Amino acid sequence: MALEQVNGDTLAAARKVIAVHINYPSRASQRGRTPAQPSYFLKPSSSLSLSGGTMERPAGCELLGYEGEIALVIGKAARRVSIEDAWSHVAAVTASNDLGVYDLRYADKGSNLRSKGGDGFTPVGPALIPADAVDPAKLRVRTWHNGELVQDDTTEDLLFPFARLVADLSQLLTLEEGDIILTGTPAGASVATPGDVLEVEVGTLDGVRTTGRLTTAVEEGTTAFADFGAQPKVDDVQREEAYGSREAAGLAPVDEAPGAGAAVGPALSPELKAKLESVATATLSSQLRKRGLNNVSIDGLQATRPDRKVVGLARTLRYVPNREDLFKTHGGGFNAQKKAIDSVNEGEILVMEARGEKGTGTVGDILALRAQVRGAAAIITDGGVRDFTAVAGLEMPTYFANPHPAVLGRRHIPWDTDITIACGGATVQPGDIIVADSDGILVIPPAIAEELADDCIQQEKEEKFIFEMVQQGNSVDGLYPMNTEWQARFAEWEAGKHND
């Protein structure tokens, strides 16, 4: 169906752009606050732009937030109208993207003028859907970030229905023909970076009418802010707001140690790491078994770099089976998978629980490369790997069940991070020490790691002595394991080694 396209005349007719803070229950739940009444802020009409354009993330800014929204276009002036009459003052609905930089929120004191009022910060379009042809309670808004669906919600249970917004605003100000009201964003709004493409589409629930996709490309600004004005700055509060939650922003819960991606558990000292690297996983397994730990191996995986031995602290990520409604709220944006990848630290090992599901990928080349760039020692997953050739070509080893071309959304939802998980038949906690090589992967409780390493070093000395004795023609009877006589001879052998 042909609809009127949003064009320059549409933008020129807008004297005011009014935006609603919170209106979707999903967003209210994400924010942790549900307003009793609607609240608003103004955006300059100069912030309006058309579909297919580009917008700059201002130079020096980090947090360019996007928010897919339904925009109302006023068709006739409204002043002190009733809720019952309000919808008749709306000419059309269209798609909008309420863009803004959280880096400047501190300077606005609540007005959002600089943070959300920049040129091009309010794309609208591409088509107008006549308001009298739709039920305002049966519309759908969707947002895609680089082709990935990250927002998907309907107007069926809004906190403040559209007619109420129009009536409420008209109590104190005249809504004029051409004015635009941005009606709030659902959960899933997040952060875009230069090179990203954002798309927003509004349509009826039956799919008969649609605005088409409002497309905006993000590019990096090159002109720095002058020193006579506020400078961009961010903190963890703004990161949480921009990404939608502390978890999505890669920040530790407030009751944990400060700092995103902080290492969990005791530190792995260079000395302990060197000891564990010096001994075979077979020796470690033997000593663990002596301590009654028989279920500490991650089994059934293969390695992209079997020639490498890695030792590091575990960080964890859990996938749950895909359920379409939950994937909408947890699968998009800066989800748990991306958070885990983007917060892994130097020398840490990201361990993924994929329930042994081999029918899809759990990590691909871009995220694996990001982990390598951050200094991760390895990735371990008991699921599949996408882009296998590229992942296998990285210096960082990846341990996996099998290659698979499908994206994780086929079978998984990235759910949570840095919790106790199961991987390859073993329980793994954040801060556990992982030792992996061509012989296998072991999970070492950090509390016993120092003692375990020392005993392994001693065991390998004994095994070296036994090997030499067998080479010299001695029987293994009484030698392997050593009886009292051989233990005495070993002590002499070891003393001689120290004297050399």
Side-chain angles (χ1 to χ4, degrees):
M1 176 177 293
L3 298 174
E4 182 182 345
Q5 294 295 112
V6 175
N7 54 34
D9 292 339
T10 310
L11 304 191
R15 298 188 182 184
K16 297 185 291 294
V17 180
I18 303 170
V20 178
H21 280 111
I22 294 178
N23 198 15
Y24 285 79
S26 62
R27 180 69 161 178
S29 176
Q30 189 179 46
R31 286 291 201 222
R33 57 183 185 271
T34 301
Q37 302 293 340
S39 62
Y40 314 92
F41 60 93
L42 282 168
K43 300 187 75 170
S45 59
S46 56
S47 72
L48 292 167
S49 59
L50 296 171
S51 181
T54 61
M55 65 84 56
E56 288 188 356
R57 184 182 72 176
C61 289
E62 172 189 339
L63 301 175
L64 172 64
Y66 61 83
E67 299 176 3
E69 305 199 14
I70 297 172
L72 311 183
V73 181
I74 298 299
K76 62 180 178 178
R79 178 73 166 111
R80 295 195 178 103
V81 301
S82 67
I83 292 178
E84 293 73 21
D85 183 47
W87 191 246
S88 69
H89 291 261
V90 179
V93 298
T94 191
S96 63
N97 196 339
D98 182 15
L99 296 162
V101 283
Y102 285 74
D103 312 62
L104 290 172
R105 287 178 86 194
Y106 79 96
D108 280 337
K109 299 188 183 300
S111 74
N112 286 341
L113 177 61
R114 281 169 287 190
S115 62
K116 283 181 171 275
D119 289 353
F121 276 30
T122 316
V124 292
L128 295 167
I129 301 175
D132 59 6
V134 300
D135 181 343
K138 295 187 181 299
L139 296 173
R140 182 186 190 189
V141 58
R142 291 182 291 174
T143 305
W144 292 264
H145 185 178
N146 292 332
E148 180 181 3
L149 183 66
V150 293
Q151 291 185 286
D152 189 353
D153 213 332
T154 75
T155 57
E156 293 178 299
D157 59 351
L158 291 176
L159 299 176
F160 313 112
F162 294 160
R164 178 175 172 179
L165 298 177
V166 173
D168 182 38
L169 286 165
S170 77
Q171 293 185 90
L172 286 172
L173 55 94
T174 298
L175 295 173
E176 300 165 297
E177 182 180 355
D179 285 353
I180 292 174
I181 302 173
L182 309 184
T183 57
T185 194
S190 190
V191 173
T193 57
D196 290 352
V197 174
L198 303 169
E199 299 171 286
V200 184
E201 182 178 13
V202 170
T204 53
L205 295 185
D206 59 14
V208 172
R209 296 176 182 268
T210 175
T211 62
R213 292 197 186 187
L214 167 68
T215 302
T216 307
V218 180
E219 59 184 25
E220 183 69 271
T222 57
T223 303
F225 284 92
D227 58 9
F228 50 74
Q231 300 298 303
K233 65 179 182 180
V234 296
D235 55 24
D236 286 353
V237 173
Q238 295 310 318
R239 290 189 177 93
E240 179 181 355
E241 290 281 304
Y243 283 103
S245 68
R246 291 186 65 83
E247 180 181 11
L251 302 172
V254 293
D255 57 347
E256 292 184 5
V264 284
L268 177 63
S269 69
E271 294 78 16
L272 176 56
K273 184 172 182 288
K275 287 180 181 180
L276 292 170
E277 288 173 336
S278 73
V279 295
T281 51
T283 310
L284 287 165
S285 180
S286 174
Q287 287 294 330
L288 287 164
R289 184 174 177 81
K290 286 183 179 180
R291 290 162 172 79
L293 294 169
N294 298 308
N295 298 294
V296 288
S297 63
I298 297 176
D299 297 332
L301 306 186
Q302 51 188 310
T304 60
R305 300 300 302 267
D307 56 315
R308 298 292 181 84
K309 181 168 189 173
V310 294
V311 177
L313 289 178
R315 298 288 299 281
T316 61
L317 166 64
R318 179 169 70 110
Y319 296 111
V320 297
N322 186 29
R323 203 178 91 183
E324 288 75 7
D325 61 322
L326 295 177
F327 193 88
K328 292 177 183 178
T329 57
H330 288 76
F334 196 62
N335 57 31
Q337 179 201 42
K338 293 176 182 175
K339 171 195 168 183
I341 293 289
D342 218 44
S343 66
V344 67
N345 293 314
E346 184 79 27
E348 292 178 337
I349 296 174
L350 180 57
V351 186
M352 300 179 178
E353 175 185 336
R355 310 177 313 282
E357 170 57 65
K358 298 181 178 182
T360 193
T362 56
V363 68
D365 58 345
I366 292 176
L367 293 184
L369 176 60
R370 176 60 176 159
Q372 176 175 286
V373 168
R374 287 193 58 84
I379 291 176
I380 299 172
T381 173
D382 61 356
V385 165
R386 293 183 72 218
D387 311 307
F388 173 72
T389 300
V391 173
L394 297 177
E395 287 295 311
M396 178 194 68
T398 295
Y399 299 81
F400 62 102
N402 59 283
H404 200 282
V407 296
L408 68 88
R410 181 170 183 255
R411 298 284 174 85
H412 300 300
I413 306 173
W415 196 254
D416 43 16
T417 62
D418 289 330
I419 60 166
T420 300
I421 64 168
C423 181
T427 297
V428 182
Q429 293 191 301
D432 281 344
I433 296 173
I434 305 295
V435 179
D437 63 12
S438 57
D439 280 343
I441 308 167
L442 294 175
V443 182
I444 299 173
I448 66 169
E450 193 76 47
E451 172 192 306
L452 184 78
D454 289 339
D455 287 352
C456 285
I457 290 170
Q458 182 63 19
Q459 177 181 328
E460 291 196 347
K461 287 179 181 177
E462 293 177 1
E463 290 177 349
K464 182 179 180 181
F465 168 74
I466 293 169
F467 189 84
E468 288 187 12
M469 295 304 101
V470 171
Q471 272 189 322
Q472 294 175 14
N474 291 285
S475 170
V476 296
D477 185 26
L479 174 61
Y480 185 57
M482 291 187 289
N483 57 23
T484 304
E485 178 184 349
W486 277 111
Q487 287 175 354
R489 293 181 62 178
F490 167 71
E492 294 175 2
W493 175 86
E494 187 175 25
K497 291 287 185 181
H498 287 309
N499 293 330
D500 290 344

